[in-house]
Amino acid sequence: MHALTLPAPSHYDEMLLPSGAIRPHYQPFANWLHAQTPEALAKKRAEADLLFHKVGITFAVYGDEAGAERLIPFDTVPRIVPASEWQMLEAGLRQRVSALNRFLWDIYHDHEIIKAGLVPAEQVFANAQYQPAMQGLDLPHGIYAHITGVDLIRHADGGYYVLEDNLRVPSGVSYMLENRKMMMRLFPELFAQYPVAPVAHYPTLLLNTLRHASVADSPTVVVLTPGPFNSAYFEHAFLAQQMGVELVEGQDLFVKDDYLYMRTTVGPRRVDVIYRRIDDAFLDPLAFRADSMLGVPGLLSVYKQGNLILANAIGTGVADDKSIYPYVPEMIRFYLGEEPILHNVPTWQCRKPAELDHVLTHMAELVVKEVHGAGGYGMLVGPASTTAEVEDFRLRVRANPANYIAQPTLCLSSCPTFVESGIAPRHIDLRPFVLTGRETTMVAGGLTRVALKAGSLVVNSSQGGGTKDTWVLEA
């Protein structure tokens, strides 16, 4: 018998009420868990590790001296989301991604939101992610972000908040898919007790989104990867295989007569759509970084002539920059005439003198992030840092205020998680993936990331975080 002996939570716990009682939607799982022996569960977790190793689901950590690829730890306690909660989240995600796509079209065309004084011009045009080459370029259907990953957290008040938007090359969906396959293989009996919404059709939805982005009758789609040394290479290969399309590197492609072609064993084949997992700067050495060996010379010219679709579009990074994030609620009101369904986390912009003073004074209480940072790098979690670390970061912020934003230290919700001592609460977030094509679609679920260190709020895989399966219950 595996009894749940967790203390009553001091924050929002996905499984436990403040009294320590089980939330109704977790009760069948709790009953099942109570009937399991620790030995049987340990055996299942070991089986999961072995299977992930066999499949090759790894994540390379940059800066790791050994250069080794690591498994992303997988936890077998699922995150369960009631149908009513998901309906609200889905509506909020559709709304938010729609506004972000409208914003991207606007900043590369009419600049209406800037003229209205809602977003400062320098925040857009001086942004490192802004691409002048995109100005005035009309993209099919006005879509810039075909694939968006939105990071959500649940605060102590029980409400969901958007922590950040990922519109450049959002990653992690392969782990969402593999986690579900693993849970169904290890614990099929649980799926007989729960009406869990499927996620396995995501690759089909993704392929349809990419095909519909093109005006070609039968478009050829490829996945462009930087190569096997990239930390997310497993995902690039996985998605190409699942969609039944070619995985290519820059050296496999070439430009001829204003079109892009792929080298194949039976001769050149025209490419219409690239799902690219390479940052803007490396796409075309003739237009961006001249030293890039990852891109294709002349690719931008083909793109600007309308003979190629890039998903996501060049220049989408402006909208997922942390200095633009505070303006998303205003974008929703301005473009859609609606109130935001999902709320932002309150944010101080250090480029503003009054807000900088507040951040410098209260840094030990705040989370401070680089505006272009990702993967848990370039950030300070004040309450978890030493006095020396806070002081060092204070000097960095003071030297370049515009490069930083700050937010209150939110208490991310927790979910019971297997740790060495048994089962204990660990903090989690959620990244659903939104696809924008002929229509906006998403699978009911996402990647739940878990901070495996006790008390840690950093869930990123590169910082030692793990993942859970996310079960959205069907109504």
Side-chain angles (χ1 to χ4, degrees):
M1 306 291 278
H2 204 297
L4 273 179
T5 55
L6 296 173
S10 57
H11 49 269
Y12 193 98
D13 189 284
E14 300 291 338
M15 186 171 177
L16 302 179
L17 292 164
S19 65
I22 306 292
R23 295 186 187 276
H25 60 280
Y26 260 103
Q27 192 62 59
F29 177 82
N31 294 342
W32 172 87
L33 186 62
H34 185 69
Q36 307 304 308
T37 65
E39 294 77 19
L41 291 170
K43 185 179 178 182
K44 291 287 189 180
R45 293 199 305 278
E47 184 181 342
D49 285 348
L50 180 62
L51 288 169
F52 276 141
H53 265 299
K54 283 184 176 179
V55 176
I57 304 175
T58 56
F59 184 91
V61 179
Y62 294 130
D64 188 327
E65 290 182 8
E69 293 191 340
R70 302 178 189 169
L71 277 182
I72 295 182
F74 170 65
D75 184 67
T76 50
V77 179
R79 187 223 187 107
I80 304 177
V81 180
S84 58
E85 278 186 16
W86 178 255
Q87 288 164 3
M88 179 276 295
L89 290 176
E90 185 175 9
L93 291 165
R94 288 177 184 272
Q95 178 193 62
R96 191 172 181 98
V97 171
S98 174
L100 287 166
N101 267 303
R102 296 274 290 271
F103 169 73
L104 285 163
W105 188 94
D106 187 19
I107 64 170
Y108 289 117
H109 288 82
D110 299 336
H111 313 146
E112 295 293 345
I113 200 166
I114 295 171
K115 293 173 185 174
L118 297 176
V119 178
E122 67 273 14
Q123 286 291 94
V124 173
F125 301 125
N127 191 298
Q129 298 298 322
Y130 174 77
Q131 295 290 356
M134 294 294 291
Q135 195 62 49
L137 184 61
D138 290 326
L139 300 182
H141 318 299
I143 298 170
Y144 286 75
H146 304 82
I147 304 103
T148 307
V150 181
D151 290 347
L152 302 169
I153 59 107
R154 198 205 289 265
H155 187 38
D157 61 6
Y160 284 94
Y161 293 83
V162 177
L163 197 58
E164 62 184 55
D165 306 288
N166 300 278
L167 290 91
R168 280 174 276 181
V169 283
S171 64
V173 76
S174 60
Y175 304 108
M176 173 189 82
L177 296 169
E178 288 295 330
N179 287 352
R180 174 60 53 82
K181 285 167 64 177
M182 185 64 69
M183 286 295 284
M184 294 182 77
R185 178 168 180 163
L186 294 179
F187 308 113
E189 69 276 16
L190 279 171
F191 290 86
Q193 298 184 44
Y194 275 103
V196 181
V199 296
H201 58 298
Y202 176 87
T204 301
L205 293 180
L206 175 59
L207 183 59
N208 288 341
T209 297
L210 296 171
R211 282 179 171 160
H212 291 159
S214 174
V215 295
D217 290 335
S218 183
T220 296
V221 177
V222 300
V223 177
L224 176 60
T225 177
F229 295 107
N230 183 267
S231 64
Y233 181 73
F234 162 78
E235 176 157 300
H236 309 165
F238 175 86
L239 289 174
Q241 184 267 332
Q242 290 288 302
M243 289 192 289
V245 305
E246 294 293 334
L247 177 69
V248 300
E249 297 181 32
Q251 62 194 12
D252 301 319
L253 306 173
F254 67 94
V255 171
K256 182 180 180 182
D257 299 331
D258 299 326
Y259 288 96
L260 183 71
Y261 293 88
M262 166 175 53
R263 294 181 175 89
T264 76
T265 55
V266 293
R269 181 179 179 186
R270 184 177 153 188
V271 173
D272 304 291
V273 182
I274 293 180
Y275 177 26
R276 52 100 169 206
R277 301 298 295 256
I278 293 179
D279 287 337
D280 290 354
F282 300 98
L283 280 172
D284 182 348
L286 300 183
F288 303 113
R289 280 186 57 160
D291 62 344
S292 172
M293 302 294 288
L294 303 176
V296 185
L299 182 145
L300 179 64
S301 175
V302 177
Y303 184 57
K304 293 185 74 170
Q305 291 183 67
N307 295 332
L308 177 69
I309 296 294
L310 287 172
N312 288 343
I314 293 171
T316 54
V318 178
D320 77 3
D321 189 285
K322 293 179 180 65
S323 67
I324 292 293
Y325 162 92
Y327 301 103
V328 177
E330 284 303 320
M331 293 178 200
I332 293 170
R333 297 183 184 102
F334 182 75
Y335 296 118
L336 307 180
E338 301 169 359
E339 282 300 307
I341 296 170
L342 294 170
H343 297 291
N344 272 20
V345 176
T347 301
W348 291 276
Q349 301 176 66
C350 295
R351 65 183 185 83
K352 298 180 178 181
E355 297 188 19
L356 172 63
D357 289 343
H358 176 86
V359 171
L360 292 174
T361 303
H362 298 276
M363 189 168 284
E365 307 158 23
L366 304 173
V367 175
V368 189
K369 305 175 181 178
E370 290 182 358
V371 294
H372 306 306
Y377 297 103
M379 66 182 286
L380 174 89
V381 181
S385 302
T386 65
T387 303
E389 288 169 337
V390 171
E391 190 55 41
D392 176 65
F393 219 85
R394 186 179 281 118
L395 293 173
R396 290 160 64 178
V397 172
R398 203 189 297 273
N400 187 6
N403 195 44
Y404 295 91
I405 57 97
Q407 296 169 331
T409 305
L410 296 181
C411 196
L412 278 64
S413 66
S414 68
C415 187
T417 300
F418 282 102
V419 296
E420 286 187 13
S421 59
I423 298 179
R426 291 292 184 267
H427 294 295
I428 57 173
D429 77 352
L430 175 63
R431 177 178 290 182
F433 296 89
V434 184
L435 301 174
T436 307
R438 193 170 292 172
E439 56 186 2
T440 300
T441 58
M442 65 194 89
V443 297
L447 178 65
T448 290
R449 300 182 298 179
V450 54
L452 295 175
K453 296 176 184 175
S456 174
L457 300 174
V458 181
V459 298
N460 306 76
S461 305
S462 53
Q463 306 295 312
T467 65
K468 290 175 171 284
D469 194 11
T470 307
W471 293 4
V472 173
L473 304 183
E474 294 182 318

